[in-house]
Amino acid sequence: MTAGVPSSQIFASELPTPLTSSDYHEFSLEQAKIGQLLFYDKILSGNQNISCGTCHHPRFGSSDGLSLGIGEGGQGVGHDRVPGFGDTRIKKRIPRNSSALWNLGAKEFEVLFHDGRLSVSDDFGNKFNSPAEERLPPGLKTILGTQSIFPMASQFEMAGNPKENEIAGALHDRMDYVWPILAKRVRTIPEYGKMFVSAFPDVHRPEDVTIAHIGEALAAYIALEFESRDSAFDAFLAGDSAALNDRQKKGMELFYGKAGCARCHSGSLLTDQKFHALAIPPFGPGRTRRFDPFVRDVGRMGESDRIEDAYRFRTPSLRNVALTPPYGHNGAYPTLEGIIRHHLNPSKSIKEWTRQSANLPTVPWLAEIDFLVWDDRMEMERYKAKFDIDPLDLSDGEISYLVEFMHALTGKSSEKLRFGVPETVPSGLPVDK
């Protein structure tokens, strides 16, 4: 019996065990301090105008509050971010919702990105199956450190457009040409050079710093800053039966019982780490494959090349979920109630969904593309027909209980993070506050 749960309580799915420090990889605090600065330093972007923290900001629960982000070329943060002006304005929306970063230092995470295109694997002899394949830089130790270097090598996220800067030019030739240039940018800043020498045993002089050291410093920061295991639900699991109010307990009973949420949102991190099709209303540029002749997003199939994986996306963790609207792999639903109702009846929900639900900052020159997929009758028929959950009837009251339980998953530590946003960074570039 799980601590805090009455012996008379019966759930269709077992309650998870409380998270402990043993569930997380160990990371260096000294390396995390470097990672904090790099996370908010725009030196890692091609045009030096965007940082990791721009799209994963603490003010928005480690995301950006938008359905589809505005990447390289944009200005501002979160709801105030605009698509830029003139020749430097954005050329494309980011095709998927900016993922939250909570608990990515946990050992259980072995697959990352919405489509799982990064995973722990030795397919290429370098510990990871990644978009870089055998060209992944040596020295990366963790999946989180590996994930951290890929936005830097994405044209629309951080690299910029061809002919704009040397990073974008290198990316145009080959992805792995980007990373040595960025590593040199960082290590030639004296403050960074000294910090790396002090924090990494294998760095004896600034010239030794590689993109792997940068990735692992970012991983240390993300892991320690966004570790969250002190929610009311955690207290309940640990034995405090009063930690949840009556409405939250009713929501928990539904979550692990009648509503069946825990079939996918299972375990201590509230994710089965697998891929499921939910028929979330599609929009935006999609994440097309090289040979796709039209705008669409096939999800997991883009990585696996298996037709049965079409339109499936990775189950997100629900920890701190109340802090990270909008919801869905593309942020189609602005509220927890909305995404819950979609789960109950995807076919009905996608028919009733309106474009106004998407939080898309106005970009007139991209407006024609934003909902282009809806004009493709065959693609929409395929998309609407593929969902992996059975319809379920819940009352409005039961849905409200589930929403209350979602709020009980918010950790107290999320209100005051260990590091926070630095006032300045060693490059001297402006920090997004």
Side-chain angles (χ1 to χ4, degrees), residues 50 66 232 251 351 380 421:
I50 188 171
L66 303 176
K351 290 178 182 177
M380 289 302 296
V421 182

Side-chain angles (χ1 to χ4, degrees), residues 229-243:
R229 51 187 175 93
D230 57 356
S231 67
F233 182 53
D234 289 302
F236 179 85
L237 293 177
D240 182 1
S241 60

Side-chain angles (χ1 to χ4, degrees), residues 69-133:
I70 290 178
E72 201 284 328
Q75 298 176 18
V77 181
H79 302 147
D80 297 324
R81 190 159 175 78
V82 295
F85 309 92
D87 292 340
T88 61
R89 67 187 188 180
I90 68 168
K91 305 298 190 290
K92 182 180 178 180
R93 294 189 195 274
I94 304 303
R96 292 176 181 157
N97 183 250
S98 176
S99 298
L101 304 179
W102 301 105
N103 293 306
L104 292 184
K107 296 174 183 176
E108 187 178 324
F109 281 113
E110 294 192 343
V111 179
L112 293 178
F113 292 118
H114 288 291
D115 56 12
R117 63 186 183 276
L118 174 63
S119 60
V120 175
S121 167
D122 208 33
D123 289 351
F124 299 100
N126 53 24
K127 299 182 182 178
F128 304 101
N129 181 359
S130 79
E133 299 181 343

